Amino acid sequence: RRAVTELISFKVYMSILAPVLVYGLLLVLARKKQNQKWSVIYLFIAVNLVWYVFASISWLRYAFPALAFAALFVAKFFSELTNNFSLDWRKFIEPKQKEVRLSTVELQAVFAFVLVAMVLLPFGQTLKDVIAPPFNAPFAMATYMDEHVPEDVLVETWEPEMGFLTDHNYHYPPSGILNRAVEHIWIGGPSPESLYDFTAEGMPPYVLVGQFSEWVHVYPLEILATNYKLVIQIGAYELYALDSGL
C-alpha cells in the first residue's frame, strides 16, 4: 500500500505515472514492429515496479531504474497529447466565439504546460540546492570526528554514510534486521531493540545516533542516558561517549 502511494504521489511525474503506464501497455500490445522496441523497456519497468511494490521495503529509491526509463514513456505520452509538441499558437490570438469547452489546441497547451512544470520544478529545486546548499550535517560531523575521535576506537552506529566520510572503526547492526526495523515503523512490528543488543559484546566507547537509527529506535534511550554522555549534537547526529565515571 505504501509503495503504491509513493508511485502515485505528486513527486513521481506529478502523479501521472499510472496513466502513462496504461498508455505504455496499450503501446506495447499493438501488433506493430516499431512498437516492439518499447516492449523491452516496458518489461524492464514492469519487473522493477512489481518487485518494488510486493517484495521491497518500499523506499522510492528502489524504484529508481523503472522511474528513469519511464521518462521515455512520459515523453512519448505528452508527444501524442500535443501533436508531437506542434502547437498552433496563432489560435490563442484569433478572435474567439464564446465557448464553454476548451478547444483542442487549448487542451494541448495545458498538457504542454504540465510537461514544462514537470521538468522545471525539480530542476529549480536542484538549482536552489546547488546555489544555496543546506547545512551539510554529515560532513560537519565527519569533520568533528576526524578532529576529536581516534580512528582505532570502536564507534557503534547505523549511519552508513559515515563509513564513506571518515576512516573510523565503525560497527553497524546486522543488515538482516533492516526489514524488521522498517516493519516496526510502518506496520507496528517488533522493535529493533528486541532484535539487536549493541551492548552484547560490551559497551562500545562511542555511539553515533543519526536520523535513521533514531527513527527506528535501534539504540534504546535509557541505555544511552544511563551509560553514556552526549558529546556533541550536529544536525540530526548525536555523538555519545561511554561515561568513564560509571
Side-chain angles (χ1 to χ4, degrees), residues 130-147:
V130 171
I131 296 176
F135 175 63
N136 194 333
F139 183 78
M141 177 56 78
T143 301
Y144 179 88
M145 294 189 64
D146 283 337
E147 295 175 352

Side-chain angles (χ1 to χ4, degrees), residues 155-169:
V155 180
E156 173 70 30
T157 189
W158 208 0
E159 312 303 324
E161 69 277 6
M162 300 306 296
F164 292 93
L165 296 175
T166 78
D167 295 324
H168 286 79
N169 183 22

Side-chain angles (χ1 to χ4, degrees), residues 47 58 71-72 96 102 119 148 231 240:
V47 170
S58 303
L72 300 174
K96 297 181 181 180
L102 294 174
V119 174
H148 299 90
V231 177
Y240 291 88

Side-chain angles (χ1 to χ4, degrees), residues 68-217:
F69 280 98
L72 300 174
F73 286 93
V74 172
K76 186 167 179 59
F77 179 68
F78 278 94
S79 176
E80 296 279 354
L81 291 175
T82 59
N83 190 27
N84 197 26
F85 307 109
S86 299
L87 300 180
D88 188 0
W89 299 103
R90 294 173 299 179
K91 296 287 186 179
F92 291 97
I93 60 177
E94 293 178 353
K96 297 181 181 180
Q97 297 179 354
K98 292 183 178 180
E99 295 181 355
V100 176
R101 61 176 184 171
L102 294 174
S103 66
T104 301
V105 69
E106 289 171 333
L107 285 173
Q108 291 175 343
V110 170
F111 291 127
F113 175 79
V114 172
L115 181 61
V116 170
M118 189 184 303
V119 174
L120 292 184
L121 286 177
F123 176 78
Q125 181 62 48
T126 302
L127 187 63
K128 173 180 174 294
D129 291 340
V130 171
I131 296 176
F135 175 63
N136 194 333
F139 183 78
M141 177 56 78
T143 301
Y144 179 88
M145 294 189 64
D146 283 337
E147 295 175 352
H148 299 90
V149 180
E151 289 188 354
D152 59 342
V153 176
L154 183 66
V155 180
E156 173 70 30
T157 189
W158 208 0
E159 312 303 324
E161 69 277 6
M162 300 306 296
F164 292 93
L165 296 175
T166 78
D167 295 324
H168 286 79
N169 183 22
Y170 292 108
H171 180 269
Y172 305 103
S175 58
I177 71 170
L178 175 60
N179 193 49
R180 304 293 296 275
V182 177
E183 287 180 359
H184 167 66
I185 297 299
W186 287 345
I187 59 177
S191 170
E193 297 178 8
S194 62
L195 306 172
Y196 174 66
D197 181 7
F198 76 97
T199 65
E201 299 182 5
M203 296 282 186
Y206 288 90
V207 178
L208 178 59
V209 179
Q211 187 173 11
F212 182 76
S213 55
E214 184 178 4
W215 182 53
V216 299
H217 310 295

Side-chain angles (χ1 to χ4, degrees), residues 24-38:
L25 180 62
L26 297 176
L27 179 67
V28 302
L29 290 179
R31 293 182 176 273
K32 296 180 181 180
K33 185 177 180 179
Q34 62 268 27
N35 289 358
Q36 294 310 303
K37 60 183 179 181
W38 291 98

